[in-house]
Amino acid sequence: MMFSIIDIIVYIFLGVGVFFNLLAGVGLLRFPDVYTRLHAGTKCTTFGSIFLSGSVILLGLRMWWFGNTDGSILAIHTGVALVAILVTNPTGAHAIARAAHRSGVKPVKAVVDDLEGGTTKKKSIGKKTATVKKKEEEEG
Amino acid sequence: MLAFIVTTIVCFIIYLLLTIGSATGASDFFNLGLWSNEEILFGVILSVIVGAIGRKIFVKKDFRMLNPVRWFTFLFYLFIPFFWGMAKANFDVAYRVITGKINPGIVKISPGLKTDLGITMLANSITLTPGTLSVDIDEDKNDLYIHWINVKKEALKKKPIDYKYVCGSFPKWVRRIAE
Amino acid sequence: MGKEDCRMIESFDTVYLFVLGLLFLSVIMAVIRIIKGPTAPDRVVGLDTVNTLVIVGMIIYGVAAGSVIYIDVAIVYALLSFISTLFIAKYLEGGGF
């Protein structure tokens, strides 16, 4: 009885995960500019990945309960993969957003833009590379 | 030296997690049915190498993250306030994908965090929670620039914007965990 | 118990393959965004989404095929795709490496 409940939970997790992953695809097609597409592409895929990995972890734990050691390997490795996704996905989105803003993509229909015009680039690094370039030009 | 030991132990624990189930039988030194001798030996060698190379990157100035209270606070934060915020975020995005109603803008908040780890954790939390995405960071004052998908009118009256509108109580939690 | 065990896991095979098909549909939508995308950052967003979907797809296929090695590949792929995304973002910023 208890294990059929776990089966039902696994199916629910699979359904929720697939729904959010499909939503990420639809959001990528429907939204108007880079930043809103990042909203869809990051949040929805991360949330969907949590649920799909969660279903795999539950399945592995159930296998382990029945005495199959492969189940514990499945659960632990999926957990590590999930942690990797959770750490890397928002950081990558942040990198893309910053690159998009610095390369001059403006948010569509923006009400307010505090970052416009102002730049947070470290001035010292830019100057250093510029002077190095000048030196190289003079030498060459 | 302590930095080297901490990095080596963390690497070794991760290696052990990834090689569970490599046991060969009764000939194992630690006969728990989990690891074989070769895996443990190779794990020790690899973690010592990685600890020697990465100790300055992995551990910055102090050892405040060795406190177990911070770990349990982090786990609690991860499973209850953060996961709840994330679920709300996803239904919010689902609503906006289906209806197409957006009202975006980039706002600046100053959460007042000081450490690198704290600001990283807050930026990642903000990216995964309702309608917000961290775009850029002012590295001198640790101010965050955030793309907000649905800018509220009442939030714009005061400058700089109160961070309660954007990320709720997350800075409080992060301060408790990482500072 | 062994035989019964195997049968219980095999009953999940078709479900997981079906899930894999739906994930592939989502990948196709992201690829459309990569092809259409008006600016370069749009394409990178599409690529990032494809990467995450491929990682999840590897995990799901590992269960459906019954071998854990696919999940190890998924871990390595997650870390490598993260580094590639960071490098493309750095390139788009116009800064030197």
Side-chain angles (χ1 to χ4, degrees):
Chain A
M1 186 60 200
M2 183 187 149
F3 295 106
S4 63
I5 291 174
I6 289 183
D7 279 358
I8 292 169
I9 293 174
V10 166
Y11 283 122
I12 289 174
F13 273 23
L14 279 179
V16 173
V18 165
F19 171 71
F20 278 107
N21 273 328
L22 279 177
L23 205 68
V26 178
L28 273 183
L29 290 183
R30 270 184 65 103
F31 276 146
D33 73 328
V34 182
Y35 304 104
T36 41
R37 275 174 207 149
L38 264 178
H39 278 281
T42 310
K43 276 174 207 157
C44 291
T45 49
T46 312
F47 199 61
S49 308
I50 288 176
F51 274 96
L52 287 179
S53 312
S55 80
V56 175
I57 289 173
L58 270 182
L59 193 67
L61 287 180
R62 203 194 63 167
M63 278 167 71
W64 184 59
W65 183 262
F66 278 117
N68 191 342
T69 19
D70 284 352
S72 64
I73 304 175
L74 192 70
I76 289 170
H77 285 219
T78 311
V80 174
L82 180 61
V83 169
I85 291 176
L86 270 182
V87 173
T88 59
N89 225 344
T91 318
H94 170 67
I96 297 171
R98 196 174 69 161
H101 205 279
R102 283 189 184 169
S103 67
V105 179
K106 295 274 178 286
V108 174
K109 288 197 271 177
V111 183
V112 53
D113 192 352
D114 285 347
L115 191 56
E116 197 175 24
T119 174
T120 56
K121 231 177 230 181
K122 274 191 175 173
K123 296 268 168 56
S124 58
I125 295 172
K127 268 180 194 170
K128 261 183 201 169
T129 51
T131 50
V132 168
K133 270 180 194 168
K134 267 182 191 173
K135 271 185 187 174
E136 282 174 353
E137 280 170 8
E138 283 167 5
E139 285 168 359
Chain B
M1 189 61 198
L2 192 54
F4 169 70
I5 293 171
V6 169
T7 316
T8 306
I9 289 174
V10 171
C11 288
F12 190 54
I13 289 172
I14 293 172
Y15 190 89
L16 286 185
L17 269 184
L18 282 176
T19 53
I20 274 182
S22 64
T24 48
S27 64
D28 291 340
F29 188 67
F30 299 104
N31 200 357
L32 300 171
L34 293 177
W35 300 287
S36 63
N37 294 337
E38 296 86 358
E39 291 283 4
I40 288 181
L41 183 67
F42 199 63
V44 169
I45 296 172
L46 271 186
S47 350
V48 166
I49 295 173
V50 173
I53 295 172
R55 66 183 190 281
K56 282 180 184 161
I57 304 167
F58 191 71
V59 181
K60 290 279 163 68
K61 292 161 210 160
D62 51 4
F63 295 93
R64 62 180 192 286
M65 290 310 288
L66 282 182
N67 187 352
V69 176
R70 291 179 191 273
W71 306 344
F72 289 114
T73 321
F74 175 70
L75 282 182
F76 179 78
Y77 165 73
L78 195 67
F79 279 104
I80 296 174
F82 177 70
F83 193 79
W84 173 240
M86 200 168 165
K88 272 196 298 185
N90 280 277
F91 286 106
D92 186 62
V93 171
Y95 170 73
R96 286 179 205 290
V97 167
I98 292 163
T99 58
K101 275 185 201 163
I102 54 169
N103 186 23
I106 293 181
V107 297
K108 177 184 175 185
I109 63 164
S110 34
L113 296 171
K114 294 184 193 71
T115 54
D116 280 355
L117 181 68
I119 205 81
T120 310
M121 205 187 278
L122 182 67
N124 279 2
S125 305
I126 281 175
T127 299
L128 291 175
T129 47
T132 48
L133 177 84
S134 52
V135 173
D136 209 338
I137 178 172
D138 188 340
E139 289 185 29
D140 298 328
K141 295 176 209 158
N142 280 342
D143 289 348
L144 284 169
Y145 293 90
I146 290 174
H147 183 270
W148 199 0
I149 205 168
N150 184 25
V151 177
K152 285 179 192 152
K153 287 267 166 57
E154 68 261 25
L156 289 178
K157 281 173 192 162
K158 206 172 67 175
K159 287 229 173 194
I161 288 168
D162 195 356
Y163 62 71
K164 282 201 181 89
Y165 290 107
V166 179
C167 47
S169 62
F170 286 163
K172 214 172 63 189
W173 282 101
V174 170
R175 201 169 293 136
R176 206 174 289 165
I177 294 165
E179 290 196 349
Chain C
M1 185 172 261
K3 272 182 186 175
E4 203 179 341
D5 208 14
C6 284
R7 189 179 50 80
M8 245 180 242
I9 287 137
E10 274 167 13
S11 68
F12 278 93
D13 280 6
T14 48
V15 179
Y16 275 92
L17 284 179
F18 182 66
V19 167
L20 206 61
L22 287 178
L23 284 181
F24 186 66
L25 201 66
S26 189
V27 170
I28 287 176
M29 286 193 262
V31 169
I32 291 174
R33 176 50 66 197
I34 294 178
I35 295 168
K36 257 171 68 177
T39 62
D42 282 315
R43 287 163 210 228
V44 185
V45 174
L47 190 69
D48 197 37
T49 312
V50 169
N51 279 334
T52 315
L53 289 172
V54 166
I55 295 162
V56 183
M58 277 181 187
I59 294 175
I60 297 292
Y61 187 70
V63 176
S67 62
V68 186
I69 197 76
Y70 287 102
I71 297 171
D72 294 339
V73 178
I75 296 168
V76 177
Y77 187 85
L79 300 174
L80 284 181
S81 71
F82 169 62
I83 293 171
S84 80
T85 305
L86 282 191
F87 264 88
I88 295 173
K90 193 86 181 164
Y91 170 70
L92 285 178
E93 270 179 34
F97 284 113

